[in-house]
Amino acid sequence: MNFISSKCKAVIFLLIFIMSCHIFAQETASEKTEEKSSWDLLLIPILEIVFKGDVEWRPDWPPDIPCDGFLISRGNNFTQVIELSNEKENFILSRDNEGRLKEFPFFQTDKYIIVKIDYDADGMLQRMNLENKDYASTESSDDKTDGKSEEKPMIIDFQPEFFPYSEFSPGGAFPVITASSDDSQYFVYLFESPHFLTETWYDSDGNMLVYSRADTYVTNGAWRINSLQIHNADDIQLINYFFDTSGNITEIRLEDSVFSALYANKRPVYWRLSNLYNELHWDTQGLLTFFRVYEPEENQLINEYRYEYQNDIFDNWVKRSETAYVLQYGLLAANPPSGWGTWNRRIVYF
């Protein structure tokens, strides 16, 4: 009996050990899947801006970022530096002496990426430094570290003569692009077709992290993205872009949200995002005079923001002061805490 009992105990122990290993393997696989599915860095949308050579407002930008922050409309409208700042944020758009973008912010829903670029002696893209930042306005008081993310920058190295949709591009597969962050290394493969670009990321062990296909078209010497299919470990995301005849993005359609806008002279006059829509009024000089926020179902005005400006010698604004109003008891009442604050611009012209 003691022998049988000991044998049974050994079998039971062996079964428990096997089950524990199986559960651990499942949890590890689940963690890897979760890690893969969270990969959200894509180069193609950033490269679209790099090769276009300008940062233009899009309807999926955060509402507190001035939609004309990088728009210069009078005087010498080709600028070497535009620095946009308030008490919480500081964004820089800069160009080298040849007019190529050297630094710019790439805005996303809940964060932004500071993009810094190096070119080789022939003016070809050589390296990008990508640094993720959290918006100071979205940080909780417990998580604030000077209002910024502590993630390590991602260094992207390109092979010589990387220039999609140009005379330098043979089409097909580009040489591998290497990406590194801290002690991690990744490999990125881009493939160019006349009507689409694909992008695939692998980690150093050869595991695929993300695959995306961007349907593209070329206009005025620049290529634009019509749609993006993004394949992660366990889901597929589809993003569609729509344009007006001037090339402005009129709609960005995701699976669970739609951002849309109508324009006049490259400036949005109607802007819909989430469950709100915005009405923007501009004066004859191209300055935003007031910004109204409505609840669409009842067409109810919620907030209004009114602006005053200080301009530089070219009559482009360098300081925008705001007065915020909220609806109280059926009337608009001044309420500075509900506003987005004063924005300043430092502009350096060529």
Side-chain angles (χ1 to χ4, degrees):
M1 292 294 294
N2 291 336
F3 172 76
I4 296 175
S5 175
S6 300
K7 188 174 182 180
C8 289
K9 289 179 180 179
V11 170
I12 292 172
F13 175 79
L14 180 61
L15 289 173
I16 292 174
F17 176 76
I18 293 173
M19 290 177 65
S20 300
C21 291
H22 179 67
I23 292 172
F24 176 77
Q26 284 185 322
E27 290 178 347
T28 303
S30 175
E31 288 175 0
K32 287 184 177 180
T33 300
E34 183 177 351
E35 180 181 351
K36 289 181 181 179
S37 64
S38 65
W39 189 267
D40 61 354
L41 175 60
L42 292 176
L43 297 183
I44 289 177
I46 298 174
L47 291 172
E48 179 189 26
I49 297 175
V50 173
F51 291 114
K52 186 181 179 184
D54 202 6
V55 176
E56 296 181 346
W57 179 85
R58 297 164 32 131
D60 61 347
W61 276 23
D64 54 337
I65 305 298
C67 52
D68 59 344
F70 300 106
L71 182 62
I72 302 298
S73 56
R74 292 184 295 280
N76 181 353
N77 60 8
F78 198 57
T79 57
Q80 189 164 20
V81 178
I82 300 176
E83 184 175 3
L84 179 68
S85 62
N86 62 7
E87 294 180 354
K88 298 178 180 178
E89 307 286 5
N90 187 77
F91 309 111
I92 295 176
L93 184 155
S94 67
R95 295 182 173 89
D96 63 14
N97 291 331
E98 302 300 323
R100 296 179 293 252
L101 285 174
K102 287 285 292 180
E103 179 178 345
F104 64 90
F106 180 77
F107 294 109
Q108 297 176 298
T109 304
D110 56 354
K111 64 180 182 179
Y112 63 97
I113 300 175
I114 296 177
V115 182
K116 297 181 180 180
I117 307 167
D118 293 325
Y119 300 91
D120 63 19
D122 297 322
M124 294 293 182
L125 184 61
Q126 184 177 47
R127 169 173 285 188
M128 288 199 311
N129 182 304
L130 307 179
E131 187 174 357
N132 284 306
K133 296 288 186 179
D134 294 323
Y135 292 112
S137 58
T138 62
E139 296 260 332
S140 67
S141 58
D142 295 333
D143 297 332
K144 284 184 179 179
T145 54
D146 295 331
K148 298 293 181 287
S149 169
E150 293 298 320
E151 292 184 34
K152 298 292 184 180
M154 181 79 74
I155 307 299
I156 314 293
D157 288 307
F158 298 88
Q159 298 292 337
E161 297 188 355
F162 175 77
F163 207 129
Y165 295 114
S166 74
E167 59 182 305
F168 304 101
S169 173
F174 287 99
V176 62
I177 299 167
T178 58
S180 58
S181 179
D182 204 5
D183 295 329
S184 301
Q185 189 171 33
Y186 309 93
F187 302 97
V188 189
Y189 294 86
L190 265 66
F191 182 91
E192 177 191 318
S193 160
H195 302 294
F196 64 84
L197 284 169
T198 66
E199 174 181 346
T200 312
W201 282 71
Y202 294 90
D203 64 17
S204 57
D205 295 324
N207 299 308
M208 182 186 291
L209 300 174
V210 66
Y211 165 83
S212 70
R213 169 182 163 136
D215 290 336
T216 58
Y217 72 98
V218 179
T219 178
N220 298 325
W223 53 272
R224 304 295 300 272
I225 298 173
N226 272 327
S227 65
L228 268 175
Q229 291 183 19
I230 305 171
H231 299 251
N232 280 307
D234 56 357
D235 69 340
I236 300 175
Q237 185 181 21
L238 179 63
I239 308 174
N240 288 309
Y241 301 88
F242 301 87
F243 304 86
D244 62 17
T245 55
S246 299
N248 302 305
I249 297 180
T250 57
E251 186 172 288
I252 301 174
R253 185 176 299 172
L254 291 79
E255 294 177 356
D256 54 351
S257 56
V258 175
F259 307 90
S260 60
L262 296 176
Y263 299 81
N265 299 321
K266 298 189 72 68
R267 293 171 173 78
V269 294
Y270 172 91
W271 178 18
R272 177 73 180 261
L273 71 164
S274 301
N275 59 342
L276 301 173
Y277 74 85
N278 305 314
E279 180 183 355
L280 297 87
H281 288 254
W282 307 81
D283 66 14
T284 57
Q285 302 299 314
L287 294 175
L288 182 64
T289 55
F290 60 89
F291 181 109
R292 290 172 177 167
V293 182
Y294 292 86
E295 194 282 319
E297 291 186 3
E298 300 179 1
N299 196 30
Q300 178 67 54
L301 177 64
I302 300 175
N303 297 90
E304 180 171 302
Y305 306 93
R306 302 175 187 174
Y307 303 106
E308 295 181 351
Y309 295 89
Q310 294 180 14
N311 296 340
D312 64 9
I313 59 173
F314 291 106
D315 217 22
N316 292 303
W317 71 267
V318 291
K319 182 176 182 179
R320 191 182 81 173
S321 302
E322 175 190 83
T323 303
Y325 296 83
V326 297
L327 192 67
Q328 293 181 332
Y329 309 115
L331 300 173
L332 281 175
N335 188 354
S338 67
W340 293 323
T342 297
W343 284 93
N344 297 281
R345 291 201 300 181
R346 182 178 65 90
I347 305 175
V348 179
Y349 299 92
F350 278 104

